[in-house]
Amino acid sequence: MLAELDVPHRLIPYNMLAGDHLKKEFRRINPNGKLPAIVDHAPQDGRGPFLVFESGAILLYLSEKHEDAFMPKGLRGRSLAQQWLMWQMAGFGPMHGQAHHFIRYAPEGQEYPVNRYRNEAIRLLNVLERRLEEAAYMAGDDYSIADMATWPWVRAVRAIQIDLESYTAIRRWYAEIEKRPGVQRGTEITNERNLASLRPELTEEAWSNLFGENMLKSGR
Ligand SMILES: N[C@@H](CCC(=O)N[C@@H](CS)C(=O)NCC(=O)O)C(=O)O
């Protein structure tokens, strides 16, 4: 979003495997201790820095701050963008996240959760495919913050062994968004290798930072 808006910003990479996100300083920015979060040093009211967490809230905040950027005009259009953004936040993102967890990070051989979350991931891709058969973008004719929120999870599906071959509308939409200069700039930092490797090797320490005792301790 920041690259698309072309506003000055400083990106601070956090290494989750090393537990950077568990530090007290970061919890002051995001009480939920997760990435991403932003600090706006130039808020509209001219008061001190403003902190925003939750990716959907960050997208809405930046859109509103920048004259409703990437938000359709009119009540219907706005509502459509919000509906699909909420759908991503509450469904597509969390379900794909769990699919990544059980397929890539959990001990192998757990058939039930792997099937459960792969099925949900596929069901949600089917919902997206139907939507993109009837509209160019998720909220209608134009690219919006709903597409921005969803595109990165679609980008990651090969790591959960889902093939997009039969998803014609999603592939059309995906390729159009991938060409955008803002998207190219904004994705430069993604670790492609990590996305491609099916089961990343985690040290005990990294595991604990992500899913275990270190993660729990940090929030107490
Ligand atoms: N609903 C949150 C989800 C944030 C989230 O789960 N972020 C992941 C990285 S993509 C994270 O920080 N994981 C570290 C952890 O769970 O300890 C959002 O959309 O901002």
Side-chain angles (χ1 to χ4, degrees):
M1 177 62 158
L2 291 162
E4 285 280 21
L5 289 168
D6 206 14
V7 290
H9 61 276
R10 184 163 65 101
L11 195 67
I12 305 178
Y14 274 65
N15 181 351
M16 293 190 303
L17 302 191
D20 288 353
H21 62 302
L22 304 179
K23 299 197 174 115
K24 273 213 174 62
E25 305 87 87
F26 182 64
R27 213 164 280 271
R28 277 198 281 272
I29 299 174
N30 183 353
N32 195 36
K34 293 196 185 246
L35 306 168
I38 62 164
V39 181
D40 184 355
H41 292 275
Q44 274 176 343
D45 60 11
R47 288 159 56 192
F50 187 62
L51 317 174
V52 192
F53 73 101
E54 278 296 323
S55 56
I58 294 170
L59 290 167
L60 285 166
Y61 174 77
L62 291 171
S63 167
E64 282 183 33
K65 187 179 175 190
H66 296 276
E67 294 160 359
D68 288 335
F70 304 107
M71 177 62 90
K73 305 258 172 292
L75 189 55
R76 277 172 192 256
R78 294 177 76 87
S79 174
L80 280 169
Q82 287 164 9
Q83 289 172 48
W84 285 104
L85 179 64
M86 299 297 155
W87 173 82
Q88 191 284 351
M89 299 306 304
F92 199 92
M95 292 303 134
H96 276 248
Q98 292 303 325
H100 278 263
H101 178 82
F102 283 104
I103 294 169
R104 304 175 64 204
Y105 295 96
E108 282 182 273
Q110 301 188 59
E111 221 178 295
Y112 186 92
V114 165
N115 289 341
R116 158 73 182 147
Y117 291 112
R118 184 183 279 120
N119 284 348
E120 262 303 276
I122 292 171
R123 184 188 70 77
L124 289 154
L125 278 167
N126 294 341
V127 173
L128 183 62
E129 176 72 7
R130 299 288 90 78
R131 175 59 182 156
L132 295 172
E133 279 169 359
E134 62 183 23
Y137 292 96
M138 290 168 72
D141 294 339
D142 300 310
Y143 174 63
S144 78
I145 56 174
D147 304 293
M148 271 186 216
T150 309
W151 190 87
W153 280 111
V154 174
R155 185 176 191 231
V157 294
R158 77 190 135 105
I160 51 169
Q161 295 164 308
I162 293 178
D163 188 352
L164 288 180
E165 185 59 33
S166 62
Y167 292 93
T168 314
I170 292 180
R171 282 194 287 110
R172 183 256 314 147
W173 165 89
Y174 184 89
E176 274 160 26
I177 295 174
E178 191 177 35
K179 282 192 287 216
R180 298 180 62 86
V183 171
Q184 305 249 320
R185 281 197 303 276
T187 51
E188 263 162 20
I189 52 141
T190 307
N191 184 345
E192 267 288 331
R193 250 185 341 175
N194 184 40
L195 275 184
S197 95
L198 183 58
R199 289 192 66 85
E201 285 289 324
L202 294 188
T203 62
E204 245 177 71
E205 183 72 12
W207 174 273
S208 184
N209 287 336
L210 284 174
F211 313 119
E213 193 48 32
N214 287 354
M215 179 266 290
L216 286 177
K217 256 192 335 220
S218 74
R220 274 187 208 130

